[in-house]
Amino acid sequence: MDVGSGRITIAGAGLAGALLATLLARRGWSVDVFEKRPDPRVRAYEGGRSINLALAERGLHALRLAGLQDAVMAQAVMMRGRMVHGLDGSTQLLRYGKDDSEVIWSVHRGRLNISLLDAAEAAGARIRFDARLDEVDFDTRRLRIVNDHDRSVEELDFAVLIGADGAGSGVRAALKPWLELGENFEPLGHGYKELEVPPAADGGFQLEANALHIWPRGGYMCIALPNTEKTFTVTLFLPNSGDPSFDTLPNLAAARALFERDFADALERIPEFDADWIANPTGGLGTLRLDRWHLDNRAVLIGDAAHAMVPFHGQGMNCAFEDCIALDRHIAQAADWQSAFEGFENERRPNAQAIQAMALENYVEMRDQVDDADFLLRRKLERLLADRHPGRFVPRYSMVSFMRVPYATAFERGKVQRQLLVECCEGLQDISQVDLAKADQLVQERLSVLGQD
Ligand code: FAD
Ligand code: 8RB
């Protein structure tokens, strides 16, 4: 489409909204963004808490396109693999990739968001803060913006509206009377609580810095991601009901007792456990699926607004960034808005569904399998076959985290590979017992070279 007189309105200046505004403004579109929260650059309002995100190749690629790679990577902490913490306090590092070229990065959400806001404004996008999109009349193309602080209300025109306003999207709510969204929210039935490990007395990290720590405990787990401040953000994932669960932790003493029993080596490192437990709310988790993401030539949803997912593959932001690149490309290439939105949705919806499914599966792997002997044997064979058949047998984790092949492709090939690993490891205890000639043959038969089919 010709950018000539085009105006685009975006709701939400979170991770996706700010990146998309940057990409579109750079192409010459006139971009207005409305963000319900105050400008984070004016006042640090996150209470000093470090909330971090795992950035993988898909997200990194998007930042590269926006010219932000160097700024973000200067403050990122490398995570080489999973550091698995046993009940007895033992630890084991399971690498994510073949070497340090295949790693993920822990980045600070607040700082990342600020870099993106700066880039969007530098590219010419206008961002209004304290501006919550409230109601939309899609017939007259007018929207209502509310300032939640001074309660002021404003009505404005829009040409096209992009909902990048997250899991609780106002645009999605506003679309309901105009569009059969086919909305389906599947709650996970587990919640999460964040805690903090401060720096050691000598100012260093209290745990191995370059790892994503996991305390797998069967039906639940803790994880920890490093921050540049030499702290770790620990997250407990636990069922809402049953035993143990958030329901059966009626008070601090019960929560402490659970940590003393199951996460003793973590608890030792969380001096403010009581204060953190009380101050930090228990968050909910779930998967949001929609049958439709766009209203003809008028509106489209991206990121969490379209496809919120459970966090266990660390891909929510990575996927939202990939959405931004795809939508920017479809807008540039399509003849009109309707075909841009349609093309975007058709490309991205199957991929969003695939990463949503893989994220659910990865919870079971993280909490229940990383210390299981059969799992570890299959994983050894996976690495071996990946080395023997580069480009053909590529671990699913690698396709998701280190490559940009469509998520749906990673999901489909992952199924074939898993079946093959199960077949070749059935009843075996050690990698030396595997019939490699047969495994090689199955790989050749069942898997094409990635990107050549
Ligand atoms: P958001 O980033 O949530 O942005 C939405 C924005 O819209 C917000 O700024 C919000 O204030 C604004 N808004 C909401 N409603 C309105 C309205 N009505 N009008 C105007 N503005 C509005 N993903 C990863 O890839 N890796 C990770 O390791 C990871 N860790 C996570 C850890 C935590 C604790 C959480 C909660 C999420 C994590 N995610 C991670 C997921 C990731 O944060 C999201 O998938 C990503 O932020 C989605 O981007 P978004 O722009 O769609 O939504
Ligand atoms: N949302 C992550 C992974 C995969 C790690 C692996 C998992 C916390 C909320 Cl749970 C989780 C991963 O397979 O070894 N990579 O990145 C990030 C994760 O949780 C983030 C920090 C998180 N997301 C609500 C809490």
Side-chain angles (χ1 to χ4, degrees):
M1 266 183 292
D2 189 14
V3 297
S5 60
R7 276 180 52 223
I8 300 175
T9 301
I10 301 176
L15 299 179
L19 176 65
L20 183 65
T22 308
L23 298 174
L24 293 173
R26 287 224 181 132
R27 282 197 197 263
W29 295 100
S30 166
V31 180
D32 286 289
V33 189
F34 296 95
E35 164 58 47
K36 75 170 175 187
R37 292 180 299 186
D39 188 339
R41 296 165 296 188
V42 174
R43 201 173 342 113
Y45 61 99
E46 282 252 35
R49 273 210 293 154
S50 281
I51 297 295
N52 45 27
L53 298 141
L55 178 68
E57 176 55 24
R58 292 167 203 269
L60 204 48
H61 176 72
L63 294 176
R64 240 173 248 140
L65 292 185
L68 290 172
Q69 180 180 18
D70 293 345
V72 173
M73 292 308 282
Q75 301 227 39
V77 185
M78 182 199 284
M79 297 186 290
R80 293 193 169 94
R82 303 168 170 171
M83 185 69 82
V84 178
H85 295 248
L87 249 186
D88 58 0
S90 62
T91 56
Q92 187 188 2
L93 180 74
L94 300 176
R95 264 194 178 275
Y96 285 133
K98 57 178 189 309
D99 54 39
D100 280 0
S101 69
E102 295 185 334
V103 298
I104 56 175
W105 302 89
S106 180
V107 297
H108 187 277
R109 177 194 293 269
R111 284 197 294 263
L112 174 61
N113 204 183
I114 285 174
S115 300
L116 288 165
L117 295 173
D118 287 343
E121 286 181 344
R126 289 171 296 273
I127 310 178
R128 292 259 317 263
F129 295 90
D130 292 309
R132 176 170 59 83
L133 180 128
D134 182 30
E135 276 172 22
V136 185
D137 185 329
F138 285 99
D139 270 344
T140 57
R141 299 200 191 218
R142 284 183 74 75
L143 49 82
R144 194 162 75 168
I145 298 294
V146 177
N147 178 328
D148 288 324
H149 289 288
D150 64 16
R151 296 269 139 216
S152 59
V153 177
E154 203 177 333
E155 284 203 10
L156 298 160
D157 292 324
F158 69 93
V160 293
L161 179 61
I162 299 174
D165 49 354
S169 173
V171 175
R172 195 176 68 232
L175 277 169
K176 273 184 195 160
W178 307 80
L179 182 66
E180 201 72 62
L181 286 168
E183 185 170 349
N184 171 30
F185 181 73
E186 182 197 335
L188 179 65
H190 294 227
Y192 71 96
K193 178 84 87 178
E194 287 162 343
L195 305 159
E196 193 181 87
V197 172
D202 68 2
F205 284 98
Q206 286 207 52
L207 299 163
E208 163 58 43
N210 297 115
L212 189 156
H213 295 263
I214 308 181
W215 289 259
R217 295 297 180 259
Y220 50 99
M221 66 177 185
C222 275
I223 64 162
L225 272 70
N227 297 303
T228 41
E229 292 78 10
K230 303 201 164 45
T231 62
F232 289 85
T233 306
V234 176
T235 311
L236 165 69
F237 294 98
L238 187 71
N240 297 327
S241 60
D243 190 26
S245 69
F246 281 109
D247 279 357
T248 59
L249 299 178
N251 50 44
L252 248 179
R256 257 190 176 282
L258 174 74
F259 270 75
E260 273 158 12
R261 189 189 73 185
D262 286 335
F263 307 110
D265 58 331
L267 180 62
E268 276 170 11
R269 296 176 165 87
I270 309 175
E272 299 292 326
F273 181 88
D274 294 7
D276 285 353
W277 187 272
I278 291 164
N280 300 340
T282 303
L285 302 165
T287 306
L288 173 81
R289 298 181 182 86
L290 304 179
D291 290 340
R292 272 167 284 278
W293 290 2
H294 79 283
L295 174 66
D296 49 58
N297 60 3
R298 289 175 276 185
V300 68
L301 301 172
I302 67 167
D304 280 8
H307 51 66
M309 64 189 74
V310 297
F312 307 107
H313 226 306
Q315 286 288 317
M317 161 186 64
N318 287 283
C319 179
F321 280 176
E322 230 177 26
D323 285 355
C324 296
I325 294 172
L327 182 55
D328 172 54
R329 172 168 36 82
H330 281 281
I331 289 173
Q333 291 173 358
D336 54 71
W337 288 104
Q338 169 134 2
S339 39
F341 294 165
E342 227 166 61
F344 165 75
E345 179 179 333
N346 289 339
E347 175 185 332
R348 294 301 295 167
R349 210 149 47 82
N351 290 309
Q353 280 169 358
I355 188 59
Q356 287 180 317
M358 292 190 282
L360 280 161
E361 288 178 5
N362 212 45
Y363 188 22
V364 181
E365 180 168 320
M366 289 180 79
R367 73 185 198 218
D368 205 26
Q369 296 177 341
V370 285
D371 53 359
D372 173 275
D374 290 338
F375 170 81
L376 292 172
L377 174 58
R378 284 198 298 274
R379 202 177 166 279
K380 264 192 195 150
L381 180 58
E382 180 179 60
R383 268 270 51 97
L384 192 60
L385 293 179
D387 291 340
R388 291 166 78 89
H389 304 276
R392 195 182 287 270
F393 192 108
V394 183
R396 187 174 91 174
Y397 186 89
S398 303
M399 288 189 278
V400 169
S401 301
F402 310 136
M403 300 174 77
R404 291 184 286 118
V405 299
Y407 286 123
T409 305
F411 190 39
E412 288 312 316
R413 294 180 68 106
K415 285 180 198 165
V416 175
Q417 292 177 168
R418 188 187 150 84
Q419 172 64 30
L420 194 158
L421 292 174
V422 168
E423 273 174 49
C424 293
C425 293
E426 195 109 69
L428 307 182
Q429 271 79 52
D430 191 88
I431 189 80
S432 64
Q433 300 169 295
V434 173
D435 181 347
L436 272 181
K438 180 189 152 206
D440 286 341
Q441 191 196 333
L442 292 179
V443 170
Q444 293 294 337
E445 280 170 16
R446 297 181 190 176
L447 293 160
S448 58
V449 173
L450 194 49
Q452 291 185 8
D453 45 1

